[in-house]
Amino acid sequence: MTLEDVRNQFTDPTPADLQLIARYGELPDDARRARAFEAFAKSGLPNRRMEQWKWTDFRAGASSLETSSGKANVELPLPDNALLLRFDGKRWHLPEKLPTGLNVFEKTEAQALGNAEELPMAALAAGLTGHPKSIDILQVEVTASIEQPVFLDFDFAGREMAFARIAFVVRPQARIDVIEQHRGGAGLSSTIIEFGLQKGAQASRTLLQAGGKEEATAVTAAISLEENARFKQTALGFGAKVARIETRVSYNGPNATASLNAAYLPAPGYHVDFTSNVWHGAESCTTRQLTKGAVPDGGRGVFQGKFHVPRTVGQHTDADMQHKALLLEDGAEVFAKPELEIYADDVECAHGNTSGQLDETALFYMRQRGIPKAEARALLTEAFIVEALATAHDAVKDALNEASRNFLRREG
Amino acid sequence: MTLYIRGMLKLDDLSARVGEGDEAKTILNGLSLEVPAGEVHAIMGPNGAGKSTLSYVLTGREGYEASAGSAMLEGEDLLAMEPEERAAKGVFLSFQYPVEIPGVPVMTFVRAAMNAQRKARGEDEISAPDFIKKAREVGAKLKIDADMLKRPVNVGFSGGEKKRLEIFQMMMIEPRFAILDETDSGLDIDALKTVADGVNALRSPDRAMLVITHYQRLLDHIRPDKVHVLAKGRIIKTGGPELAEQLESEGYDGILGEVL
């Protein structure tokens, strides 16, 4: 397929789409990548006319691609013993030494572990990674329990666009802890993180996303779990002009468990979207999901969660989805769509979805004790958020709580 | 030489309306009261007399603004202050219904409160060791164990535990002027005794207290200097501790009939 053919796939390309097409043209031919880019071309940058993107419009958010000047003022400390894998917007930088049981392969093409590539922003990343001259795809093989956390540092400063991809294959009974810092810096970015957890494997993922006010950024994760595998995810999102943190979990073997916790704190002018889809494709799997958000005037939070429990294979599913939002001020916006699609009959599935304001009675109680109004609001909000971050990796939990505290003090 | 005894709290012709628009009702209607430093006064009254409204007007709760009259604490206009400013001046309310604060441990909360007040008064913060030492001492007096102090404020506490925690906070904060709103409700007799001991321990020449209660039984343990009967938004009768006993035997109807 020529570049002209690719361009013709776009019905109404925006200037940003044209930049993406040009970028695609710089890459060598590759059938797998071509399929991904064609999949992206069907819709172009996802926009509000698409059901799954009605609240998170990348076409509007990335009208033309420029380097983002506003960098978020939030940073995680690099834990002492962490293995740093840094992505500079173009390529990965690896540590000199790796522990036994951890193998890192630089790739020019990726073997998909999950179904992330079905999603337009992930398809875009799949279509635009695999540059032969700069390593933008990594595959990590974990064959033992690795005590040191792997720290993925995504820093796109100075780029118009950035695309990265990393996959973790965790062999039976092995374990890995991953900490991710998504600092943003590019006008448009999309990252794919995949986990393939084999029998009895464990992985944790702790994520901080804090992008600039002029960027559109997507972080898409796909996690597949075999029998008895365990996955634990904790994310704190401050958003960007448009930010989507999407997680797809699929259970492929029985008795696997996943917990998905997230907190969103979009400042005025920021947008953060947590979208997830959990496929209970095996019996007796357990999902626990808690998403909390606190939004000031001018901030925008989105939660879209879906549990899908098929009739034949989803028996004895135990799944709970909770979304709770605090609207801190008039003008705060929260959009939520929790969905349970259950076809199996012997399951325990529950969900809750609330959004409201701070408890005036509690605020008065605190002020009566001498705590100033702004401080009381911040304390109450912090206490509300902290529950969702309780599952974070110990090495960065305090830093995440401090980041949320600083945000709430500033907003107070 | 002039002997000058200053009233700690002075309420003059205080009125308050609660609710909005056509729904607004006059709850306090020309209430005058003076509580000198060093004294404990009781306010008794039937349901709906305005007892809790008085405590909220004095502490500045939103929706309980005074419509007329004045409330002065040591010569300063309480009604012009924010709730946290009143607290820093020394006003403490033991709530009738203490509020749950999920996620905020008692110790964190009380320390934040004490330090916020100290900061507002231009004082140094209490050090962590001093705070912990004091919390242990006060906790022991009130039979509050260390575990309870680590739990989120009032979350999952029994009615009695909540009331004891109110007194714990009062003893930690050491206010100049304390209002105890129905502190006896929900307490069994042992807890009542413990709470009363705590309150009595705080009696001091430079502190005043207003004990709001429906029943006399708390006043058996906290002997008031004066008893005021509140009805229809104002003080209709004032007397010594014997007035509480009279109320207990005759009921409010007797007193109300006598006065009105």
Side-chain angles (χ1 to χ4, degrees), chain A residues 359-375 379-380 382-384 386, chain B residues 59-61 82-84 87 91-93 95 99 101-104 109 113 116-117 154 166 169:
Chain A
D359 179 0
E360 285 298 327
T361 320
L363 271 178
F364 172 65
Y365 186 80
M366 298 174 89
R367 295 178 74 191
Q368 203 301 303
R369 295 297 185 252
I371 300 173
K373 191 176 185 179
E375 174 81 10
L379 258 178
L380 278 180
E382 186 190 331
F384 172 80
V386 81
Chain B
T59 49
R61 181 167 189 165
E82 294 292 325
E84 55 268 34
V91 177
F92 180 92
L93 171 62
F95 282 64
V99 180
I101 308 182
V104 182
F109 176 65
Q117 292 196 17
N154 290 320
E166 292 295 288
Q169 294 177 56

Side-chain angles (χ1 to χ4, degrees), chain A residues 7-286:
Chain A
R7 185 188 292 229
N8 289 336
Q9 302 271 317
F10 288 80
T11 44
D12 182 20
T14 65
D17 287 331
L18 294 174
Q19 279 177 272
L20 294 167
I21 294 164
R23 171 75 170 253
Y24 178 74
E26 294 166 10
L27 291 164
D29 283 344
D30 173 273
R32 190 202 53 79
R33 202 173 41 239
R35 276 197 304 279
F37 199 77
E38 276 178 58
F40 167 74
K42 278 183 200 142
S43 64
L45 286 167
N47 62 79
R48 66 172 67 93
R49 286 189 299 277
M50 298 157 68
E51 176 61 21
Q52 287 298 310
W53 302 82
K54 61 183 171 187
W55 295 313
T56 298
D57 190 327
F58 274 77
R59 181 173 292 184
S63 46
S64 71
L65 304 184
E66 286 168 27
T67 304
S68 167
S69 59
K71 208 175 154 187
N73 189 22
V74 185
E75 199 164 322
L76 286 179
L78 180 66
D80 284 342
N81 62 345
L83 294 158
L84 175 64
L85 304 186
R86 194 167 68 81
F87 187 82
D88 67 6
K90 209 163 177 189
R91 59 162 295 154
W92 287 99
H93 300 267
L94 304 182
E96 282 177 14
K97 271 186 71 179
L98 291 170
T100 312
L102 193 75
N103 305 309
V104 179
F105 306 99
E106 300 179 348
K107 301 283 234 184
T108 51
E109 56 184 78
Q111 186 76 47
L113 298 178
N115 48 10
E117 290 178 29
E118 291 172 11
L119 302 165
M121 288 308 293
L124 174 65
L128 291 179
T129 47
H131 204 287
K133 288 194 206 116
S134 75
I135 299 303
D136 50 18
I137 302 175
L138 288 185
Q139 184 160 327
V140 181
E141 185 191 27
V142 184
T143 60
S145 288
I146 307 297
E147 292 308 315
Q148 298 161 268
V150 170
F151 192 99
L152 306 182
D153 193 5
F154 297 91
D155 187 349
F156 306 148
R159 314 280 179 192
E160 290 176 347
M161 50 181 134
F163 305 96
R165 182 160 196 175
I166 187 166
F168 293 86
V169 177
V170 190
R171 298 294 179 201
Q173 309 303 328
R175 180 175 69 85
I176 189 78
D177 297 312
V178 178
I179 298 168
E180 296 166 35
Q181 167 148 269
H182 297 267
R183 303 165 183 264
L188 177 69
S189 58
S190 181
T191 306
I192 305 177
I193 325 265
E194 290 166 291
F195 288 85
L197 304 185
Q198 300 182 351
K199 278 188 179 181
Q202 293 184 40
S204 78
R205 178 175 186 233
T206 299
L207 175 164
L208 172 71
Q209 180 278 327
K213 208 176 185 172
E214 300 149 3
E215 23 184 297
T217 184
V219 178
T220 310
I223 298 99
S224 68
L225 296 97
E226 301 292 340
E227 187 174 355
N228 287 320
R230 303 170 76 88
F231 178 72
K232 182 169 82 172
Q233 173 170 308
T234 313
L236 173 59
F238 288 100
K241 184 178 183 187
V242 178
R244 168 109 148 195
I245 298 160
E246 182 150 0
T247 307
R248 299 205 131 192
V249 173
S250 52
Y251 294 108
N252 302 319
N255 298 308
T257 68
S259 75
L260 303 175
N261 285 358
Y264 56 86
L265 298 170
Y270 285 73
H271 173 113
V272 56
D273 169 335
F274 276 100
T275 292
S276 56
N277 186 312
V278 180
W279 170 265
H280 276 265
E283 281 195 15
S284 305
C285 292
T286 303

Side-chain angles (χ1 to χ4, degrees), chain A residues 310-334:
Chain A
R311 188 166 60 92
T312 45
V313 291
Q315 296 295 7
H316 308 121
T317 286
D318 177 357
D320 184 73
M321 179 197 296
Q322 299 295 328
H323 169 248
K324 298 174 187 179
L326 268 182
L327 305 167
L328 296 174
E329 292 156 338
D330 291 347
E333 287 186 292
V334 170

